[in-house]
Amino acid sequence: MRLSPRIPGRGCLQAARFFATSVATPRIPQTIIEKVVQKYSVSLPDGKIVKAGDYVMIRPEHVMTHDNTGPVISKFKSIGAKKIFDPRQAVFTLDHDVQNKSDKNLAKYANIEAFARAHGIDFYPAGRGIGHQVLVEEGYAFPHTLTVASDSHSNMYGGVACVGTAIVRTDAAALWATGKTWWQVPRMVKVEFRGKLAPGVTGKDVIVALCGSFNNDEVLNAAIEFTGEGVSALSIDDRLTISNMTTEWGALVGVFPVDDTLLSWYESALTKLEQRTFASKSIPPPPEHPRINRRSLDALRATNLTSDLGAQYSSHLIFDLSTLVPHVSGPNSVKVSTPLPKLESQQIAIQKAYLVSCTNSRVSDIAAAASVVEGKKVAEGVEFYVAAASSVVQAEAEKLGHWNKLIAAGAKVLPAGCGPCIGLGTGLLEEGETGISATNRNYKGRMGHPKAQAYLASPAVVAASAVKGFICSPNSLDATSLPPAGAPVFSIASGSSDAAEVPQAEEPLFPGFPAAFSGRLLFAPQDNLSTDALYPGKYTYQDDITLERQAQVVMENYDPSFAGNVATILPSLSASDESTKSGVVLVSGYNFGTGSSREQAATALKAAGVPLVIAGSFGDIFKRNAINNGLVCLECPELVADLTATYAKGGARGAGGREGELTVDKGHEIRVSMTDGNVTLRGSDGEKTYKVRTVGASVQELWVCDGLEGFILKSIR
């Protein structure tokens, strides 16, 4: 770890690196998240106001990688990069497989540390803690900044009002080499908390109940802004837990506001940092922390950002905290949540309990569990595993006496790291076992055997269950102080936004990007068309497979005739002019490209002669892989609805076309203008026009460079 006294900054444009800078009130209202993204966007057209749906090139404050730093190093080197664009931007934290002492893993860790030292990158070794917790403790995730990580739980930074979101490994390599990568600003969702939590109800109960209450993709691929009177009574640890699990809820971002609670928390954090040394009246004070310091906190108070009146939201969800009782998630699904009083009556026996992970292993969590087990013993036949979120957390818990209470009760200590949460190391669930955990995911097989059952709950409930041997509430929970044990009160506001939608302004095209895409339309009337359907798994790890061969097997698991049909159509297509890109345009339903992260699902379509895919919506990782490889993705629900009504069997997606075909080809010609978003569909029954939001200059430049790797090469040359 390096904590240097250097003055933060990356040149003139980044002189206020760790300070929230004020944004002049724009002509078009923005949410606080849009304002932060505006601040970190580069190469925007003059006067451009960043809004949801925009594609922008971002230069985030920091990019964190963990055990996956090794593959990112390989990617970085394979594209010819030799120098880190900004060593202060990158952060390495080893946290996932920290129990693994094999020569191979130790060598991997040593190579990552050597790379960090060679390039002057901040490095946190195995045992320091889980990366997300470290980034909060050390101020890399700071209010009103944008910090990304190659891990899905970077949403957690929103608990301290930082816009945190996940990236893929190729993005991380691009950030190392160029300092920037692209991002599509998600749709904005307002989540309003009303009322106040009853005693014994926690932030974990809030997010477990949210996942179970709003479980119809209400926040899928969205950026959540938490608001309302109920926010002020939530501790920062509760907020971090809620933001952390917005990932499981389906969101890409989950941000709480800067308020007195957060400012007081930072004042306390600053005091703790200053007390790390032996400074006294006779000993000079320690060097100023580069991120959490008096100057940065004063600047935050002076320039606090808020959403504008009239800012636009795609949805407004309301949740009454005062109606919530403790909840349990599962088994094996975060979308199934049950009030604890109802579940407790079933006396579900457990064999393992876990107080681990970046979700709920902070000092307050450990204290809550310790108060439950004090003077008691873990039940016979139950193993109770504990691991602090970081070494700093463990040290404070030890100092306060909480840690020893857990050990005295029979808890088994694991090193600060991900461990069982990610299915690595000691104490995994075995076949037929049931476990309860304070972690964030209970997907089938994640924490051990696929024939085990996993539940999620708050630290106090986990500890109580470990002591009694079945899922239950702690003795300290006063049922008379709780609301009725039914479902909490929640709703969706009738008005989905605070203002009318702002139309997309025409912007100049990046030189070399087509003014339009045109060609034959093929329609796959199917929702949730997975990456395995697009590119079979049996080819995924054939590293020597050519693009020509990828084109021959594309869509094989969905429609074996697709590749042949495309190959037959292509010779008959020609662009109307040099500024038009011709090819087959594939149209499909919602959540196109869901499933695994294999990038060949995108490269195979492009290699087959499909330069453009239009869908109702896309799986986020597929969209990233597509754009990173020069495949354009556009959303047009109206076009999908019309094609479904006209050509899908029974007027619904999922059963092929009316004539039984998996891919519908009626000879329609389609032209998509990339300047104004007009989509023109021509067929035997006439012509119809639709509208789409086009891609911005950042994505256009990637297309011209034949993808992100080409963009990196261009940048470093």
Side-chain angles (χ1 to χ4, degrees), residues 675-687:
T675 56
D676 57 16
N678 284 331
V679 178
T680 305
L681 182 65
R682 297 186 181 92
S684 58
D685 53 350
E687 179 177 305

Side-chain angles (χ1 to χ4, degrees), residues 472-493:
C472 63
S473 60
N475 292 335
S476 59
L477 188 65
D478 181 7
T480 62
S481 67
L482 296 176
V489 175
F490 61 94
S491 62
I492 301 177

Side-chain angles (χ1 to χ4, degrees), residues 284-519:
E288 180 182 77
H289 191 280
R291 291 165 295 277
I292 302 176
N293 53 58
R294 175 50 52 201
R295 293 182 300 118
S296 64
L297 297 191
D298 288 347
L300 180 61
R301 290 180 183 275
T303 58
N304 193 8
L305 297 179
T306 58
S307 294
D308 295 322
L309 183 65
Q312 202 177 334
Y313 300 89
S314 66
S315 187
H316 178 184
L317 311 181
I318 300 170
F319 192 85
D320 190 340
L321 299 177
S322 67
T323 65
L324 182 65
V325 299
H327 268 59
V328 176
S329 170
N332 296 354
S333 173
V334 295
K335 289 192 174 184
V336 177
S337 63
T338 307
L340 177 60
K342 183 180 298 185
L343 203 65
E344 186 171 14
S345 63
Q346 301 176 29
Q347 294 201 358
I348 299 171
I350 65 164
Q351 289 74 49
K352 288 187 172 74
Y354 305 90
L355 179 58
V356 300
S357 88
C358 55
T359 312
N360 273 123
S361 286
R362 284 172 277 278
V363 175
S364 65
D365 302 315
I366 294 168
S371 68
V372 171
V373 303
E374 184 175 6
K376 302 179 180 67
K377 290 291 184 180
V378 173
E380 186 177 350
V382 175
E383 296 175 5
F384 183 22
Y385 294 93
V386 298
S390 74
S391 58
V392 170
V393 167
Q394 182 171 334
E396 186 173 350
E398 290 173 347
K399 180 180 178 181
L400 295 172
H402 306 316
W403 197 253
N404 287 338
K405 291 176 183 177
L406 292 172
I407 295 174
K412 298 183 177 184
V413 175
L414 299 175
C418 300
C421 178
I422 193 67
L424 294 172
T426 301
L428 304 186
L429 287 171
E430 298 178 7
E431 182 175 0
E433 287 189 330
T434 297
I436 188 166
S437 177
T439 54
N440 45 40
R441 283 181 179 161
N442 57 350
Y443 303 152
K444 183 179 179 180
R446 175 178 170 87
M447 296 185 67
H449 201 280
K451 292 185 178 180
Q453 291 197 322
Y455 293 84
L456 304 179
S458 69
V461 172
V462 168
S465 303
V467 168
K468 293 187 179 180
F470 60 90
I471 297 176
C472 63
S473 60
N475 292 335
S476 59
L477 188 65
D478 181 7
T480 62
S481 67
L482 296 176
V489 175
F490 61 94
S491 62
I492 301 177
S494 56
S496 62
S497 65
D498 290 353
E501 183 174 355
V502 179
Q504 182 184 19
E506 285 191 28
E507 298 174 8
L509 295 175
F510 189 87
F513 187 75
F517 287 84
S518 68

Side-chain angles (χ1 to χ4, degrees), residues 190-245:
K190 178 190 291 186
V191 175
E192 180 185 351
F193 288 143
R194 295 179 179 175
K196 183 179 180 180
L197 293 176
V201 185
T202 70
K204 183 58 164 279
D205 300 307
V206 173
I207 188 60
V208 166
L210 284 171
C211 289
S213 300
F214 297 103
N215 59 4
N216 291 307
D217 296 339
E218 288 90 346
V219 300
L220 182 65
N221 294 337
I224 297 172
E225 179 185 337
F226 291 106
T227 68
E229 60 178 353
V231 167
S232 62
L234 293 173
S235 71
I236 300 307
D237 283 0
D238 280 337
R239 298 180 193 188
L240 289 167
T241 297
I242 294 169
S243 289
N244 181 290
M245 281 190 63

Side-chain angles (χ1 to χ4, degrees), residues 75 168-175 181 599 625 628 708-709 712:
K75 174 71 75 173
V168 296
R169 296 173 185 181
T170 303
D171 297 314
L175 284 161
T181 191
E599 66 177 2
N625 282 327
N628 283 347
L708 187 57
E709 290 191 20
I712 296 171

